[in-house]
Amino acid sequence: MTSARSFVALVVVAGMAAVVLFILHLGLGTVWIPPDRVIGALVDGLADPTDRTIVWDLRMPRAILGLLVGCMLGLSGALLQVVMRNRLAEPGLTGVSTGGILAAVLFLGGVWGLPQPGRLLPFVVLVGALAGGILVLLVSSKRGGIDPLRLILTAVIVNAILGSLTAIVMLRSNYALGNILSWLIGSLHGRVWDDVWLALPWAAVAIPAGLLAARAANVLQIDDESGRALGLPLQPARVALFGLAGVLAAGAVTVSGAIPFVGLMAPNAARAVAGADARRVLPLAAMIGCLLLLAADLVAQSFSIKPPIPSSAYRVGLPVGAVMAILGAPLLIFLIRRSTR
C-alpha cells in the first residue's frame, strides 16, 4: 500500500511521462520533427508553417486519440476486474468489441454502393458496440442479479458467437474483408479531427463517471455480505459499473477498433504499484492506459510494412493493436501462471 505522498508522486511521474510521449508522438512520422520544433509549433504562432500543419492537422488527432482511447480502455478494464472479481478481465469481455466489429462488417458488406461509407462507419460501430454490451448484460442477468462468474461465462459465449458471425459475413464479402482489418486488429492510423470530436463526448462523460465510482468499486471488491452491511445495493452497483465499463470500451472501439491488452495491462500495473484501493487504482489505470497506448503507437510508427498489393509502392506503419498484442501476451501468460499457483 503506497502512502498518499507516494501516490501523488506516481501521478506526477505518469503525467510527465505522458507529456514526453505526446511530444515524441507529434514529432514521429515520415518527416521527423525534433521536440523543440514540436513545442514551437504548439505554442508559437510564428513557427514554421509546415511544422504547424504537420503537427496540428496531421499528427495531433492521432496523438489525442492515443490519450483518450488508452485512458478509456485502462479505466474500463479496472472497472471490469472489480465487477468480475478477476484480474484477467478486460474490455473485450463486455461484448462491445465483437459487437462493433460485426456491425462494421455488415455495414461495409451491405452498403458498398454508398459514395463515402467511411463517414458513417464510426456511428455504425458505436451502435453495434453498445448492442453487444447490452446483449452480454441481458443474457447474464437473472432475477437475483448478476453473478461475476456467470457474467464471465456469458461474455465468452456471446463474444464467440458474434466473432463467428463476423467471420461468416467476411467470407461472403470481399469488400468488407479489405476494409475491416484495421478495425479487427485495432489501429490509430489515418485518424482525423472528426474522430476526435466523435470520441471526446464519450470520454468527457464516462471517464469522470468511472472515477467517481471508486467507492462502489471498493465495496464490490469485498464479499457480498460485507457489502450489504455497508449499505451498497450490490446488483444495481454491478450493473452500473459494467455499463460504465461498456460505454468506455464502446467509445474507444468506435474510433480505434479492437485494441487488445491495454485494459488488462493498465489495471494490473496500477494495482501492483498502488495497492487495491480503487480510489488510486482507477485514476492510475487510466493514466497507465494512456502511456501504454502512446508508447505502443510510437513503436507501431517506427516500423513499416509493404501491403501485399503488387502495384503499391507505399509502406504503412504497424497497427497499434498488433504491437499491444505482442507486448501483452507475455503479461497474460504470467498472470495466468500466477493465478493457477
Side-chain angles (χ1 to χ4, degrees):
M1 180 73 174
T2 59
S3 65
R5 184 175 297 179
S6 299
F7 175 70
V8 171
L10 282 172
V11 171
V12 171
V13 170
M16 293 173 62
V19 171
V20 171
L21 286 174
F22 190 79
I23 292 173
L24 291 175
H25 201 288
L26 293 176
L28 186 64
T30 305
V31 177
W32 163 247
I33 303 178
D36 59 325
R37 286 168 52 189
V38 170
I39 296 172
L42 291 174
V43 301
D44 185 1
L46 300 178
D48 187 324
T50 302
D51 287 352
R52 288 181 59 82
T53 299
I54 293 174
V55 168
W56 282 101
D57 296 342
L58 301 180
R59 297 180 183 173
M60 183 68 75
R62 180 170 181 166
I64 291 176
L65 285 175
L67 288 173
L68 293 179
V69 171
C71 183
M72 288 191 283
L73 291 177
L75 184 54
S76 175
L79 291 171
L80 280 175
Q81 289 178 13
V82 169
V83 172
M84 297 183 174
R85 292 179 178 171
N86 191 325
R87 293 184 64 179
L88 298 179
E90 55 97 24
L93 287 176
T94 59
V96 301
S97 297
T98 48
I101 298 304
L102 176 59
V105 171
L106 289 170
F107 177 74
L108 289 173
V111 298
W112 53 269
L114 289 181
Q116 289 184 316
R119 292 187 176 182
L120 295 176
L121 183 58
F123 298 96
V124 174
V125 172
L126 179 61
V127 172
L130 293 176
I134 292 171
L135 179 62
V136 170
L137 189 60
L138 290 177
V139 175
S140 63
S141 300
K142 66 177 184 179
R143 186 171 298 178
I146 295 178
D147 175 72
L149 179 59
R150 186 174 66 249
L151 184 59
I152 293 175
L153 295 174
T154 301
V156 171
I157 294 170
V158 170
N159 280 333
I161 293 173
L162 294 178
S164 298
L165 291 174
T166 299
I168 292 172
V169 175
M170 288 179 67
L171 287 173
R172 293 178 57 86
S173 174
N174 291 329
Y175 181 88
L177 179 62
N179 286 268
I180 206 62
L181 287 179
S182 65
W183 292 87
L184 284 171
I185 302 171
S187 176
L188 296 175
H189 178 70
R191 299 306 184 261
V192 295
W193 280 108
D194 286 347
D195 298 304
V196 175
W197 305 136
L198 180 63
L200 198 56
W202 292 87
V205 173
I207 291 174
L211 296 176
L212 290 173
R215 179 185 175 276
N218 271 334
V219 176
L220 287 178
Q221 292 185 98
I222 60 180
D223 61 274
D224 286 2
E225 232 177 87
S226 301
R228 292 189 190 96
L230 291 172
L232 181 73
L234 298 181
Q235 297 308 328
R238 284 198 180 100
V239 172
L241 262 63
F242 180 86
L244 266 177
V247 168
L248 286 162
V253 169
T254 299
V255 293
S256 68
I259 298 178
F261 289 111
V262 176
L264 172 67
M265 297 169 68
N268 280 287
R271 198 174 288 109
V273 298
D277 189 344
R279 293 173 298 177
R280 299 180 179 184
V281 170
L282 295 183
L284 201 55
M287 296 187 74
I288 293 174
C290 296
L291 296 177
L292 286 173
L293 196 53
L294 280 177
D297 203 37
L298 280 173
V299 175
Q301 292 184 79
S302 301
F303 296 91
S304 62
I305 56 176
K306 186 179 183 300
I309 304 174
S311 59
S312 175
Y314 295 100
R315 299 179 68 86
V316 297
L318 295 176
V320 67
V323 175
M324 282 305 310
I326 294 171
L327 296 176
L331 175 67
L332 180 60
I333 294 171
F334 169 77
L335 290 174
I336 291 174
R337 289 176 62 87
R338 184 175 178 180
S339 64
T340 55
R341 284 178 182 174

